[in-house]
Amino acid sequence: MEHQMDQEEQSLTVGIEEKLPMGKNILYGLQHVFVSNVWLDPIFVAAMVGLPVALASNMVNAIFIAAGLVTLTQATRLVKLPIIQGPSASFDALMISTGKAGGFAAAGGSILLSAMLVFILSITGIIGKLKVLFTPVVSGTVIFVVGVALAGFTLSEFLGGTPDMPSFASPETLGMAIPTALTVILCSIFGRKTWKSFSFLIALIIGDAIALGLGQISFAAVGEKNWFGLPQLFPFGMLEFHFATFITFFVAYLAAIIEAMGVYNAASDMTGVRLDEKRLRYGFAGESVGSMISSVLGGFPTTAYGQNVGLLRLTGVASRYPVIIAGLLFLVLGFVPKAGALLAVTPSPVVGGIFLPAAASLIFTGISILARMEKTEINYMITGISILLAIGLPSYAAAFTGVFGTFASSSVLIGALTSILLHLVFINIPQLLRQTNRDKRQVKGDSF
């Protein structure tokens, strides 16, 4: 390996540059595919909007292809970290509201323009310079909030929806979710070698077996899909530009960027690989190109997935090669609709059972980063206020409209911007003023 892991990272038994047997790489790659939930966002949005089957399938295929291309190029050429790329959940609410109003063409135009702007900011190195803002106070807060933000989705899957749904917390739902989660937890904590490394895949098999026994798996949708298909260019018509739509999407894009920055920091922290400006510049350039491709195919922007970073800690496998395999599998799923439909037959409670430990691991990663910050009252206050607003403010987001409504609905954006702003006001600016005053006194002293 090129870089020595510190003592905290010794739990990662397979390093970032270590090559494993092909069979194991494929199985580890499958774990990343299932944990990533790449297919869930487009299925959810398509169902909420009421898209016809052809357009819904096109959206799923488009996102698989974009996720596959970006994951492959990121892992092999660009950021070179074991990070899975996929559709950002920051856009789910916007895509649903825009799609219900018949504005998917405007959504695509806004995503394309936002991605182009981010690409320019990336290649010029401006985004890379944001790294200096991500001190342990900020990066730890962001990763912690990303983990908390996953909690709502995870529990919705785990419990079978919302309290008004008949499947919510039913015996069948809990009978699938609880054993799946317990399998991941027990294998990750007490398992050795194969049991620990493949804890998520073992849990998936057990969860699906229970679901099959309960009659909760249907293969009808698989038979309806074609073996081979290509996504349609501009499936919602030629892209359009509306300034108001663009602003809201660009704010959501900022949330995705900040979340990805936190994920990059967490992956760097776990693998012991230094995250420099060059890696960040390449990483965000790759994500923005993937978002451009996805927009013309009718998909979402792509971003780094935090839950897959949680998978690294729980399984002890930090190698990039399973991520490369996952990227190839995404491409196969994008061009073979029947395979994508087979992936989606796994019931939501089983997905939630897999997600629960991964989200919990991400929260712990945030806490471990925060533990390395300087123990001062200012840092405690910055972290506390940022997390408080990130968790509490989104519940009031419905009361706001426009750009502020988009901002208020994103816990990641709230937590990141609040911690950065408070860090600047209470730490960076006072330090700069003190340094300026010292320099002035030094100049006066030299003049005498």
Side-chain angles (χ1 to χ4, degrees):
M1 289 187 293
E2 297 178 359
H3 300 272
Q4 186 67 31
M5 297 181 186
D6 61 30
Q7 190 172 9
E8 181 183 351
E9 289 153 346
Q10 291 300 319
S11 61
L12 292 171
T13 56
V14 180
I16 188 170
E17 300 297 339
E18 290 188 47
K19 212 166 188 177
L20 297 161
M22 181 57 70
K24 284 191 174 182
N25 273 328
I26 292 174
L27 291 176
Y28 289 137
L30 271 174
Q31 286 193 136
H32 276 294
V33 169
F34 277 102
V35 173
S36 68
N37 81 296
V38 165
W39 71 96
L40 292 180
D41 284 290
I43 289 175
F44 173 64
V45 170
M48 293 298 292
V49 175
L51 285 179
V53 174
L55 286 177
S57 298
N58 193 91
M59 180 178 283
V60 174
N61 289 0
I63 288 175
F64 271 130
I65 291 170
L69 289 173
V70 182
T71 298
L72 277 174
T73 53
Q74 292 283 49
T76 57
R77 298 291 180 186
L78 300 177
V79 76
K80 292 185 178 180
L81 286 171
I83 293 174
I84 295 291
Q85 304 281 332
S88 173
S90 300
F91 293 88
D92 284 2
L94 281 178
M95 292 293 287
I96 292 170
S97 60
T98 307
K100 285 182 175 179
F104 271 135
S110 299
I111 293 169
L112 179 62
L113 181 56
S114 297
M116 291 172 65
L117 290 175
V118 171
F119 179 78
I120 294 171
L121 293 174
S122 299
I123 61 174
T124 55
I126 294 174
I127 281 185
K129 296 188 183 302
L130 292 176
K131 177 68 170 59
V132 299
L133 298 175
F134 276 70
T135 62
V137 177
V138 176
S139 59
T141 298
V142 170
I143 287 299
F144 179 87
V145 170
V146 170
V148 172
L150 285 173
F153 166 81
T154 301
L155 289 176
S156 175
E157 297 291 300
F158 189 93
L159 296 173
T162 55
D164 60 335
M165 299 173 65
S167 61
F168 181 78
S170 66
E172 293 81 9
T173 296
L174 297 180
M176 292 181 283
I178 293 175
T180 303
L182 283 176
T183 302
V184 175
I185 293 168
L186 294 175
C187 287
S188 300
I189 295 175
F190 301 109
R192 294 290 183 268
K193 296 183 178 178
T194 300
W195 288 95
K196 178 181 176 67
S197 299
F198 294 112
S199 56
F200 285 85
L201 203 56
I202 294 168
L204 177 70
I205 293 171
I206 291 175
D208 276 348
I210 293 173
L212 193 61
L214 293 173
Q216 299 296 312
I217 289 182
S218 172
F219 295 97
V222 179
E224 297 172 358
K225 299 290 183 180
N226 296 323
W227 278 105
F228 181 78
L230 290 172
Q232 179 185 348
L233 292 176
F234 307 111
F236 303 106
M238 290 303 297
L239 302 184
E240 300 173 1
F241 176 78
H242 300 300
F243 184 75
T245 304
F246 162 71
I247 291 296
T248 54
F249 270 86
F250 188 66
V251 171
Y253 211 115
L254 290 178
I257 289 173
I258 291 172
E259 181 176 346
M261 182 78 77
V263 172
Y264 288 169
N265 273 280
S268 171
D269 185 71
M270 289 185 186
T271 59
V273 174
R274 181 173 174 268
L275 184 64
D276 53 24
E277 286 190 19
K278 181 180 178 181
R279 286 182 189 270
L280 283 177
R281 186 167 68 247
Y282 285 178
F284 283 114
E287 287 193 10
S288 57
V289 171
S291 297
M292 294 181 208
I293 295 172
S294 186
S295 68
V296 300
L297 296 176
F300 295 21
T302 57
T303 190
Y305 271 1
Q307 58 265 35
N308 289 85
V309 174
L311 180 70
L312 303 182
R313 182 180 293 278
L314 290 176
T315 62
V317 180
S319 173
R320 287 185 294 135
Y321 297 101
V323 171
I324 294 171
I325 295 294
L328 292 172
L329 290 173
F330 285 147
L331 288 176
V332 170
L333 293 168
F335 290 111
V336 183
K338 195 177 287 291
L342 182 63
L343 188 73
V345 301
T346 296
S348 295
V350 176
V351 174
I354 292 175
F355 257 58
L356 192 69
S361 178
L362 202 59
I363 291 173
F364 173 76
T365 299
I367 293 173
S368 66
I369 295 173
L370 287 171
R372 295 202 298 269
M373 73 182 182
E374 187 179 356
K375 306 303 186 292
T376 65
E377 290 300 323
I378 292 177
N379 283 341
Y380 293 150
M381 190 61 68
I382 291 172
T383 303
I385 291 176
S386 301
I387 292 175
L388 184 150
L389 291 176
I391 294 175
L393 189 57
S395 60
Y396 300 95
F400 307 109
T401 58
V403 175
F404 189 75
T406 303
F407 167 81
S409 65
S410 173
S411 56
V412 176
L413 193 57
I414 294 168
L417 292 185
T418 303
S419 60
I420 290 173
L421 180 61
L422 293 177
H423 199 281
L424 287 170
V425 170
F426 292 116
I427 297 177
N428 297 107
I429 294 176
Q431 285 178 347
L432 180 62
L433 292 175
R434 285 194 295 268
Q435 182 62 45
T436 302
N437 289 332
R438 281 196 296 266
D439 291 342
K440 287 180 179 179
R441 286 195 298 268
Q442 183 66 39
V443 170
K444 287 182 181 179
D446 292 341
S447 64
F448 288 107

mmCIF file with all atom_site columns, all heavy atoms in Angstrom, residues 139-150:
data_model
loop_
_atom_site.group_PDB
_atom_site.id
_atom_site.type_symbol
_atom_site.label_atom_id
_atom_site.label_alt_id
_atom_site.label_comp_id
_atom_site.label_asym_id
_atom_site.label_entity_id
_atom_site.label_seq_id
_atom_site.pdbx_PDB_ins_code
_atom_site.Cartn_x
_atom_site.Cartn_y
_atom_site.Cartn_z
_atom_site.occupancy
_atom_site.B_iso_or_equiv
_atom_site.pdbx_formal_charge
_atom_site.auth_seq_id
_atom_site.auth_comp_id
_atom_site.auth_asym_id
_atom_site.auth_atom_id
_atom_site.pdbx_PDB_model_num
ATOM 1  N N   . SER A 1 139 ? -16.132 18.790 9.037  1.00 0.00 ? 139 SER A N   1
ATOM 2  C CA  . SER A 1 139 ? -16.284 17.498 8.364  1.00 0.00 ? 139 SER A CA  1
ATOM 3  C C   . SER A 1 139 ? -16.970 16.483 9.281  1.00 0.00 ? 139 SER A C   1
ATOM 4  O O   . SER A 1 139 ? -17.810 15.699 8.824  1.00 0.00 ? 139 SER A O   1
ATOM 5  C CB  . SER A 1 139 ? -14.922 16.970 7.909  1.00 0.00 ? 139 SER A CB  1
ATOM 6  O OG  . SER A 1 139 ? -14.039 16.822 8.992  1.00 0.00 ? 139 SER A OG  1
ATOM 7  N N   . GLY A 1 140 ? -16.645 16.499 10.578 1.00 0.00 ? 140 GLY A N   1
ATOM 8  C CA  . GLY A 1 140 ? -17.311 15.589 11.506 1.00 0.00 ? 140 GLY A CA  1
ATOM 9  C C   . GLY A 1 140 ? -18.793 15.886 11.613 1.00 0.00 ? 140 GLY A C   1
ATOM 10 O O   . GLY A 1 140 ? -19.629 14.969 11.645 1.00 0.00 ? 140 GLY A O   1
ATOM 11 N N   . THR A 1 141 ? -19.142 17.173 11.655 1.00 0.00 ? 141 THR A N   1
ATOM 12 C CA  . THR A 1 141 ? -20.556 17.575 11.711 1.00 0.00 ? 141 THR A CA  1
ATOM 13 C C   . THR A 1 141 ? -21.293 17.126 10.458 1.00 0.00 ? 141 THR A C   1
ATOM 14 O O   . THR A 1 141 ? -22.404 16.582 10.533 1.00 0.00 ? 141 THR A O   1
ATOM 15 C CB  . THR A 1 141 ? -20.669 19.102 11.863 1.00 0.00 ? 141 THR A CB  1
ATOM 16 O OG1 . THR A 1 141 ? -20.065 19.505 13.095 1.00 0.00 ? 141 THR A OG1 1
ATOM 17 C CG2 . THR A 1 141 ? -22.126 19.540 11.848 1.00 0.00 ? 141 THR A CG2 1
ATOM 18 N N   . VAL A 1 142 ? -20.672 17.328 9.284  1.00 0.00 ? 142 VAL A N   1
ATOM 19 C CA  . VAL A 1 142 ? -21.330 16.975 8.021  1.00 0.00 ? 142 VAL A CA  1
ATOM 20 C C   . VAL A 1 142 ? -21.572 15.472 7.940  1.00 0.00 ? 142 VAL A C   1
ATOM 21 O O   . VAL A 1 142 ? -22.682 15.028 7.606  1.00 0.00 ? 142 VAL A O   1
ATOM 22 C CB  . VAL A 1 142 ? -20.483 17.452 6.819  1.00 0.00 ? 142 VAL A CB  1
ATOM 23 C CG1 . VAL A 1 142 ? -21.038 16.881 5.513  1.00 0.00 ? 142 VAL A CG1 1
ATOM 24 C CG2 . VAL A 1 142 ? -20.468 18.972 6.755  1.00 0.00 ? 142 VAL A CG2 1
ATOM 25 N N   . ILE A 1 143 ? -20.545 14.662 8.249  1.00 0.00 ? 143 ILE A N   1
ATOM 26 C CA  . ILE A 1 143 ? -20.713 13.209 8.172  1.00 0.00 ? 143 ILE A CA  1
ATOM 27 C C   . ILE A 1 143 ? -21.758 12.725 9.182  1.00 0.00 ? 143 ILE A C   1
ATOM 28 O O   . ILE A 1 143 ? -22.594 11.862 8.872  1.00 0.00 ? 143 ILE A O   1
ATOM 29 C CB  . ILE A 1 143 ? -19.365 12.509 8.412  1.00 0.00 ? 143 ILE A CB  1
ATOM 30 C CG1 . ILE A 1 143 ? -18.460 12.702 7.191  1.00 0.00 ? 143 ILE A CG1 1
ATOM 31 C CG2 . ILE A 1 143 ? -19.551 11.016 8.650  1.00 0.00 ? 143 ILE A CG2 1
ATOM 32 C CD1 . ILE A 1 143 ? -19.021 12.131 5.911  1.00 0.00 ? 143 ILE A CD1 1
ATOM 33 N N   . PHE A 1 144 ? -21.739 13.280 10.383 1.00 0.00 ? 144 PHE A N   1
ATOM 34 C CA  . PHE A 1 144 ? -22.745 12.929 11.376 1.00 0.00 ? 144 PHE A CA  1
ATOM 35 C C   . PHE A 1 144 ? -24.151 13.245 10.856 1.00 0.00 ? 144 PHE A C   1
ATOM 36 O O   . PHE A 1 144 ? -25.069 12.426 10.952 1.00 0.00 ? 144 PHE A O   1
ATOM 37 C CB  . PHE A 1 144 ? -22.476 13.687 12.684 1.00 0.00 ? 144 PHE A CB  1
ATOM 38 C CG  . PHE A 1 144 ? -23.477 13.415 13.765 1.00 0.00 ? 144 PHE A CG  1
ATOM 39 C CD1 . PHE A 1 144 ? -23.308 12.340 14.634 1.00 0.00 ? 144 PHE A CD1 1
ATOM 40 C CD2 . PHE A 1 144 ? -24.594 14.223 13.935 1.00 0.00 ? 144 PHE A CD2 1
ATOM 41 C CE1 . PHE A 1 144 ? -24.235 12.081 15.633 1.00 0.00 ? 144 PHE A CE1 1
ATOM 42 C CE2 . PHE A 1 144 ? -25.521 13.974 14.924 1.00 0.00 ? 144 PHE A CE2 1
ATOM 43 C CZ  . PHE A 1 144 ? -25.346 12.902 15.785 1.00 0.00 ? 144 PHE A CZ  1
ATOM 44 N N   . VAL A 1 145 ? -24.322 14.429 10.268 1.00 0.00 ? 145 VAL A N   1
ATOM 45 C CA  . VAL A 1 145 ? -25.632 14.848 9.767  1.00 0.00 ? 145 VAL A CA  1
ATOM 46 C C   . VAL A 1 145 ? -26.054 14.002 8.565  1.00 0.00 ? 145 VAL A C   1
ATOM 47 O O   . VAL A 1 145 ? -27.244 13.683 8.410  1.00 0.00 ? 145 VAL A O   1
ATOM 48 C CB  . VAL A 1 145 ? -25.610 16.349 9.405  1.00 0.00 ? 145 VAL A CB  1
ATOM 49 C CG1 . VAL A 1 145 ? -26.881 16.742 8.665  1.00 0.00 ? 145 VAL A CG1 1
ATOM 50 C CG2 . VAL A 1 145 ? -25.454 17.189 10.665 1.00 0.00 ? 145 VAL A CG2 1
ATOM 51 N N   . VAL A 1 146 ? -25.101 13.610 7.707  1.00 0.00 ? 146 VAL A N   1
ATOM 52 C CA  . VAL A 1 146 ? -25.428 12.725 6.590  1.00 0.00 ? 146 VAL A CA  1
ATOM 53 C C   . VAL A 1 146 ? -25.991 11.408 7.121  1.00 0.00 ? 146 VAL A C   1
ATOM 54 O O   . VAL A 1 146 ? -26.989 10.886 6.609  1.00 0.00 ? 146 VAL A O   1
ATOM 55 C CB  . VAL A 1 146 ? -24.184 12.461 5.707  1.00 0.00 ? 146 VAL A CB  1
ATOM 56 C CG1 . VAL A 1 146 ? -24.473 11.345 4.697  1.00 0.00 ? 146 VAL A CG1 1
ATOM 57 C CG2 . VAL A 1 146 ? -23.778 13.716 4.956  1.00 0.00 ? 146 VAL A CG2 1
ATOM 58 N N   . GLY A 1 147 ? -25.362 10.869 8.160  1.00 0.00 ? 147 GLY A N   1
ATOM 59 C CA  . GLY A 1 147 ? -25.870 9.646  8.766  1.00 0.00 ? 147 GLY A CA  1
ATOM 60 C C   . GLY A 1 147 ? -27.263 9.825  9.347  1.00 0.00 ? 147 GLY A C   1
ATOM 61 O O   . GLY A 1 147 ? -28.138 8.980  9.167  1.00 0.00 ? 147 GLY A O   1
ATOM 62 N N   . VAL A 1 148 ? -27.486 10.957 10.026 1.00 0.00 ? 148 VAL A N   1
ATOM 63 C CA  . VAL A 1 148 ? -28.809 11.233 10.590 1.00 0.00 ? 148 VAL A CA  1
ATOM 64 C C   . VAL A 1 148 ? -29.837 11.431 9.474  1.00 0.00 ? 148 VAL A C   1
ATOM 65 O O   . VAL A 1 148 ? -30.992 10.986 9.589  1.00 0.00 ? 148 VAL A O   1
ATOM 66 C CB  . VAL A 1 148 ? -28.747 12.482 11.498 1.00 0.00 ? 148 VAL A CB  1
ATOM 67 C CG1 . VAL A 1 148 ? -30.147 12.908 11.930 1.00 0.00 ? 148 VAL A CG1 1
ATOM 68 C CG2 . VAL A 1 148 ? -27.891 12.208 12.734 1.00 0.00 ? 148 VAL A CG2 1
ATOM 69 N N   . ALA A 1 149 ? -29.412 12.096 8.385  1.00 0.00 ? 149 ALA A N   1
ATOM 70 C CA  . ALA A 1 149 ? -30.326 12.322 7.261  1.00 0.00 ? 149 ALA A CA  1
ATOM 71 C C   . ALA A 1 149 ? -30.773 11.013 6.631  1.00 0.00 ? 149 ALA A C   1
ATOM 72 O O   . ALA A 1 149 ? -31.894 10.914 6.104  1.00 0.00 ? 149 ALA A O   1
ATOM 73 C CB  . ALA A 1 149 ? -29.646 13.207 6.211  1.00 0.00 ? 149 ALA A CB  1
ATOM 74 N N   . LEU A 1 150 ? -29.912 9.992  6.678  1.00 0.00 ? 150 LEU A N   1
ATOM 75 C CA  . LEU A 1 150 ? -30.288 8.685  6.145  1.00 0.00 ? 150 LEU A CA  1
ATOM 76 C C   . LEU A 1 150 ? -31.305 7.972  7.045  1.00 0.00 ? 150 LEU A C   1
ATOM 77 O O   . LEU A 1 150 ? -31.951 7.018  6.619  1.00 0.00 ? 150 LEU A O   1
ATOM 78 C CB  . LEU A 1 150 ? -29.048 7.805  6.002  1.00 0.00 ? 150 LEU A CB  1
ATOM 79 C CG  . LEU A 1 150 ? -28.104 8.107  4.836  1.00 0.00 ? 150 LEU A CG  1
ATOM 80 C CD1 . LEU A 1 150 ? -26.845 7.248  4.942  1.00 0.00 ? 150 LEU A CD1 1
ATOM 81 C CD2 . LEU A 1 150 ? -28.796 7.875  3.505  1.00 0.00 ? 150 LEU A CD2 1
#
